[in-house]
Amino acid sequence: MSEFLVIVESPAKAKTIERYLGKKYKVRASMGHVRDLPRSQMGVDVENNFDPKYITIRGKGPVLKELKSAAKKAKKIYLAADPDREGEAIAWHLAHSLNVDIHSDCRVVFNEITKDAIKESFKHPRPINMDLVDAQQARRILDRLVGYNISPLLWKKVKKGLSAGRVQSVAVRLIIDREKEIKDFNPEEYWTIQSEFIKGKENFSAFFYGVDGIKTPLANESDVESALAGLDGNSFKVTSVTKKERKRNPALPFTTSSLQQEAARKLNFRAKKTMMLAKQLYEGIDLGKEGTVGLITYMRTDSTRLSEIAQAEAAEYIKAEYGEQYLAEEQRKDKKQTKSQDAHEAVRPTSTFRDPLGLKEFLSKDQLRLYKLIWERFLASQMAPAVMDTMSVDLQNGNVMFRANGSKIKFPGFTKLYVEGTDDQIEEKEKMLPDLNEGDVVLHKDFDKKQHFTQPPPRYTEARLVKTLEESGIGRPSTYAPTLDTIQKRGYVALDNKRFIPTELGEIVLELILEFFPDILDVEFTAKMEQDLDDVEAGKIAWVKIIDHFYQDFEKHLEVAEKEMQEVEIKDEPAGEDCEQCGNPMVFKMGRYGKFMACSNFPDCRNTKPIVKDIGVGCPKCEKGNIIERKSKKRRIFYGCDRFPECDFISWDKPLPRSCPRCEALLVEKKLKKGVQVQCTACDYKEEQQN
């Protein structure tokens, strides 16, 4: 008989921990929450201090029965759910169901699932932290009050199946507001002048800077001609040479948010996929003879803090692999970090010495890619800054000034291992200038005059939206992935080329919520609510007080909405063709994965069709059909013949309507990491890469 029962959330974690603790411990999984608010009713008594009514979650009866049976045989029960608000609430619910005294030393927390961390955590059990539990309860009850009051209104006034939530509604608003910015944007014309210069046998380029030493914008072609009219000949004098040394610091180790953003940029992972893979790495991977080991620390964190042990390991590895000069002299800290966010460490590998190459045989392809990203980011954060030698040169002819900038890497530092990605994929490259000194004379070869127009702000990618939500103080690490998933499932937004676009349904719902529940969509109000929840966690304020303050105004808005909100009819857009099964008109509808065509005679006729996009290229295989854009089961775009299955031509790369000038075969647009390149499918013909 085991002396101790340990309860965690998942079977994977249970298997790993049981091996570390030994025969006296039996480790079982609760499979997440065992109690929650009922799905069929509000479950919150607003007349009695918002008292929640918790019930056993449907389907969890057998799990709870097994846990109760194991609890009766154990001398001591330890509740070892995740080290956050949600985990503390799971432990509290388990304590209630298993008659465990919440004031006893029953709670065990750890930031990583390694032998040393687990054994150390069991030396320091503690009571359940009710401040953490209350913060989770407050969030759960707030979301229930909002969702279970507004959602039925939307079902009645718009259509069934809709929902409204605090964080998801703000996320939809950000996407819709951005779309309005793009539609209202008025592009402004501007010009640049680039010139090639010669010094001896070396060429370099410079851009027009201004007239009479003052930076001068070029608004139109007339400004360009006017600026160049001041030139006298093709000789330019070097009037200023500025040389500086510039340091570039490495990025801090990952938080949940920055991990989701970087995985989207570098690995093309959705937030949901990133968190799923991170959970697997945290809970444990079978490493053969070494057994099951947790490879990363807890993946839900706002902190960039690192333990002294982790820093010491990194220092040892960096000195051995790269040399002492690559080790940072002092540790950088996040100036924005607050005490409430510093409960956990950053997301990092549990051991620096488990390099990705050594784990290749044990991890799936995607697990390995994510682990490598986390490992490299952590190690790079402990490395020395990169040092660049920069050079700025002013070139004068008459009253016209051009400026050239150059840089070269003096010391690569952390960039030898890892460079943080950017949303715009702008790569910093070395740009060398010849040895120039004041008084030197150089000759210009030609001028490249280009017209440009200012661009509207970009649509949100998942990475950009997560970053904006985080910067605005909306939501917490655990909320981002499910929020992005929910707003797509509800049909409020859709992804187009990996960027969010609002749907008509999303705009209608947002307009109604904005009219009757403005606070729900107010970014500052929602951020303030998150701060209030942090204050509950810190024990500064009672959770009932926060809920009561919110509900007093919310209840008034609810009464008005019940009386005044008008019903909205969403008309289906005609698709311009008839149903081949019954002859009725086809219409466009919005589904989980975007628009599709359906018969207007639904439900009598259930015919549906995908929207076919002809790209204007004939099929090179059968020479009878046309190439159309399709989507795979995983929603990845590919191109195929419209005569499928008679013709099975497919291509992941977009075919072009022109032939290869060398062999007349099909040309395609090949997507690369930094843009696209036109390539021939038959020979080695390639065109210059476009960003």
Side-chain angles (χ1 to χ4, degrees):
M1 182 187 295
S2 62
E3 294 184 28
F4 306 108
L5 174 65
V6 181
I7 303 176
V8 297
E9 291 107 320
S10 74
K13 196 192 294 187
K15 181 182 175 183
T16 311
I17 293 172
E18 191 167 71
R19 189 170 61 84
Y20 293 148
L21 291 176
K23 294 180 180 178
K24 288 186 178 181
Y25 292 83
K26 180 182 282 187
V27 186
R28 293 290 178 264
S30 69
M31 311 297 287
H33 278 279
V34 293
R35 294 199 312 164
D36 196 8
L37 299 173
R39 296 185 66 178
S40 58
Q41 54 182 279
M42 177 74 72
V44 178
D45 188 352
V46 295
E47 303 296 331
N48 188 24
N49 286 328
F50 305 96
D51 185 41
K53 174 189 176 183
Y54 292 115
I55 62 168
T56 301
I57 297 171
R58 182 178 294 179
K60 285 296 181 75
V63 174
L64 200 52
K65 185 179 179 181
E66 185 184 335
L67 292 176
K68 285 179 178 179
S69 176
K72 288 177 183 177
K73 301 173 186 176
K75 290 182 180 179
K76 174 84 174 173
I77 299 172
Y78 291 106
L79 306 170
D82 285 342
D84 56 13
R85 292 176 189 169
E86 207 69 31
E88 204 72 18
I90 289 173
W92 178 67
H93 285 301
L94 283 167
H96 182 276
S97 299
L98 303 176
N99 294 317
V100 176
D101 181 5
I102 64 171
H103 303 294
S104 66
D105 291 334
C106 61
R107 179 79 167 113
V108 175
V109 293
F110 36 81
N111 191 50
E112 58 187 75
I113 303 177
T114 58
K115 189 172 185 177
D116 290 343
I118 297 298
K119 290 202 165 186
E120 183 62 26
S121 68
F122 274 82
K123 293 177 183 177
H124 308 284
R126 61 165 174 78
I128 287 175
N129 185 331
M130 285 308 298
D131 290 333
L132 278 171
V133 174
D134 287 345
Q136 189 274 344
Q137 283 198 105
R139 176 186 288 280
R140 189 77 186 92
I141 291 168
L142 268 174
D143 290 341
R144 178 56 65 101
L145 291 172
V146 171
Y148 273 50
N149 279 302
I150 299 181
S151 296
L153 260 179
L154 296 176
W155 301 345
K156 191 161 45 175
K157 306 294 184 179
V158 186
K159 67 180 255 186
K160 287 186 177 180
L162 302 181
S163 70
R166 294 180 310 112
V167 177
Q168 75 176 52
S169 296
V170 175
V172 173
R173 180 177 188 174
L174 289 171
I175 293 166
I176 290 175
D177 286 350
R178 177 55 56 89
E179 197 67 21
K180 287 177 181 175
E181 284 182 66
I182 293 169
K183 287 178 180 176
D184 295 341
F185 182 79
N186 290 315
E188 294 182 8
E189 180 185 6
Y190 70 97
W191 287 68
T192 57
I193 311 171
Q194 184 178 9
S195 178
E196 289 294 314
F197 290 87
I198 307 169
K199 199 232 173 159
K201 294 182 179 179
E202 295 184 88
N203 288 2
F204 66 98
S205 63
F207 282 88
F208 171 79
Y209 178 79
V211 176
D212 295 324
I214 301 170
K215 188 171 177 64
T216 308
L218 303 172
N220 48 53
E221 193 171 10
S222 176
D223 287 351
V224 172
E225 299 305 326
S226 177
L228 295 180
L231 292 175
D232 182 14
N234 65 346
S235 296
F236 279 73
K237 185 178 180 181
V238 177
T239 57
S240 171
V241 177
T242 305
K243 295 181 180 180
K244 290 181 181 179
E245 187 179 271
R246 180 168 64 87
K247 286 187 177 181
R248 180 180 175 188
N249 288 316
L252 292 162
F254 282 131
T255 61
T256 304
S257 168
S258 58
L259 173 62
Q260 291 176 6
Q261 293 171 51
E262 193 74 338
R265 297 183 193 112
K266 289 199 164 185
L267 308 179
N268 200 26
F269 286 176
R270 304 284 297 277
K272 186 178 179 181
K273 181 176 182 177
T274 298
M275 295 310 292
M276 177 193 72
L277 292 169
K279 188 171 186 286
Q280 293 166 4
L281 295 173
Y282 166 69
E283 292 187 341
I285 301 292
D286 187 351
L287 301 183
K289 291 181 181 179
E290 196 178 349
T292 305
V293 178
L295 295 180
I296 65 169
T297 53
Y298 191 52
M299 64 285 170
R300 288 176 181 161
T301 175
D302 286 339
S303 177
T304 57
R305 180 176 59 82
L306 295 169
S307 70
E308 291 181 5
I309 294 173
Q311 292 178 36
E313 271 195 10
E316 185 181 342
Y317 187 95
I318 292 165
K319 283 189 278 188
E321 290 293 319
Y322 299 98
E324 193 154 355
Q325 71 273 29
Y326 279 89
L327 180 63
E329 292 180 3
E330 59 180 2
Q331 299 305 315
R332 291 175 61 236
K333 293 183 180 179
D334 188 351
K335 294 177 182 177
K336 299 177 185 175
Q337 204 73 57
T338 64
K339 289 183 181 178
S340 65
Q341 293 174 312
D342 209 34
H344 313 303
E345 282 190 70
V347 184
R348 63 163 176 84
T350 52
S351 173
T352 308
F353 301 108
R354 287 196 192 94
D355 65 87
L357 194 61
L359 298 175
K360 192 172 182 180
E361 63 178 300
F362 304 110
L363 301 179
S364 70
K365 181 183 175 183
D366 286 340
Q367 285 175 338
L368 182 63
R369 292 174 74 200
L370 188 66
Y371 179 76
K372 184 173 183 284
L373 189 72
I374 294 168
W375 185 85
E376 288 181 348
R377 172 76 165 234
F378 158 69
L379 207 58
S381 75
Q382 303 303 291
M383 294 175 75
V387 181
M388 308 285 290
D389 277 336
T390 64
M391 185 175 176
S392 179
V393 178
D394 290 343
L395 309 164
Q396 193 86 22
N397 177 316
N399 65 345
V400 179
M401 181 192 294
F402 276 67
R403 178 168 288 177
N405 292 301
S407 64
K408 65 177 180 179
I409 297 173
K410 184 177 182 180
F411 174 64
F414 73 93
T415 63
K416 198 172 182 72
L417 175 65
Y418 172 88
V419 178
E420 187 178 20
T422 64
D423 288 320
D424 300 311
Q425 298 299 314
I426 298 170
E427 188 176 6
E428 190 171 355
K429 296 179 181 178
E430 281 197 335
K431 184 180 171 187
M432 302 292 291
L433 294 178
D435 186 22
L436 296 166
N437 299 290
E438 287 186 25
D440 286 352
V441 175
V442 297
L443 301 175
H444 89 81
K445 289 170 64 178
D446 51 28
F447 293 115
D448 183 11
K449 299 172 280 187
K450 286 185 177 178
Q451 181 188 37
H452 308 272
F453 291 92
T454 54
Q455 298 298 308
R459 289 190 175 104
Y460 285 109
T461 58
E462 280 203 352
R464 275 196 178 103
L465 188 56
V466 166
K467 185 177 181 181
T468 303
L469 289 169
E470 183 191 34
E471 288 175 345
S472 302
I474 296 166
R476 284 296 177 261
S478 60
T479 65
Y480 296 133
T483 294
L484 300 188
D485 196 42
T486 298
I487 61 178
Q488 292 173 76
K489 283 181 177 178
R490 297 286 182 249
Y492 297 155
V493 300
L495 276 176
D496 181 27
N497 196 25
K498 298 178 186 175
R499 285 166 170 76
F500 284 113
I501 55 170
T503 64
E504 181 188 6
L505 179 61
E507 290 174 347
I508 289 169
V509 170
L510 183 85
E511 193 174 325
L512 290 173
I513 297 175
L514 192 59
E515 180 180 356
F516 293 99
F517 304 97
D519 284 348
I520 300 297
L521 291 172
D522 184 78
V523 173
E524 289 185 11
F525 177 86
T526 308
K528 172 67 168 57
M529 188 64 70
E530 296 291 353
Q531 183 58 55
D532 288 342
L533 292 172
D534 287 344
D535 288 343
V536 173
E537 180 178 330
K540 295 179 181 177
I541 189 171
W543 70 269
V544 174
K545 188 174 181 180
I546 286 176
I547 303 292
D548 185 55
H549 180 72
F550 165 80
Y551 194 72
Q552 285 181 22
D553 284 337
F554 179 72
E555 190 175 30
K556 294 173 186 174
H557 289 302
L558 198 61
E559 289 174 2
V560 173
E562 288 276 7
K563 295 175 183 176
E564 299 182 10
M565 188 181 286
Q566 300 293 314
E567 287 190 25
V568 178
E569 183 184 358
I570 302 177
K571 293 182 179 179
D572 293 322
E573 181 185 349
E577 59 181 88
D578 293 333
C579 175
E580 59 267 33
Q581 293 185 13
C582 70
N584 282 288
M586 296 290 280
V587 293
F588 291 122
K589 287 189 175 290
M590 178 60 69
R592 179 177 174 181
Y593 298 113
K595 276 188 173 183
F596 65 96
M597 282 194 284
C599 181
S600 59
N601 195 28
F602 178 87
D604 294 333
C605 178
R606 295 179 177 268
N607 182 30
T608 61
K609 287 167 58 178
I611 298 172
V612 175
K613 184 178 178 182
D614 192 324
I615 65 169
V617 179
C619 178
K621 188 169 185 178
C622 69
E623 297 183 348
K624 296 178 181 178
N626 292 314
I627 303 298
I628 57 174
E629 185 180 290
R630 296 181 178 273
K631 284 187 180 179
S632 68
K633 289 181 180 179
K634 293 186 177 180
R635 316 309 300 166
R636 185 180 169 190
I637 291 175
F638 71 98
Y639 302 90
C641 181
D642 63 1
R643 296 182 66 246
F644 179 85
E646 287 84 2
C647 176
D648 61 357
F649 171 82
I650 62 165
S651 170
W652 291 110
D653 304 313
K654 185 178 181 179
L656 297 177
R658 53 193 175 92
S659 302
C660 174
R662 193 177 294 170
C663 69
E664 296 190 352
L666 181 71
L667 288 178
V668 295
E669 278 187 356
K670 189 88 174 174
K671 286 189 177 180
L672 307 175
K673 283 187 177 180
K674 307 292 181 182
V676 295
Q677 186 175 57
V678 174
Q679 298 181 3
C680 179
T681 53
C683 71
D684 60 358
Y685 174 78
K686 294 180 181 179
E687 294 181 4
E688 189 176 345
Q689 183 179 330
Q690 300 174 355
N691 291 322

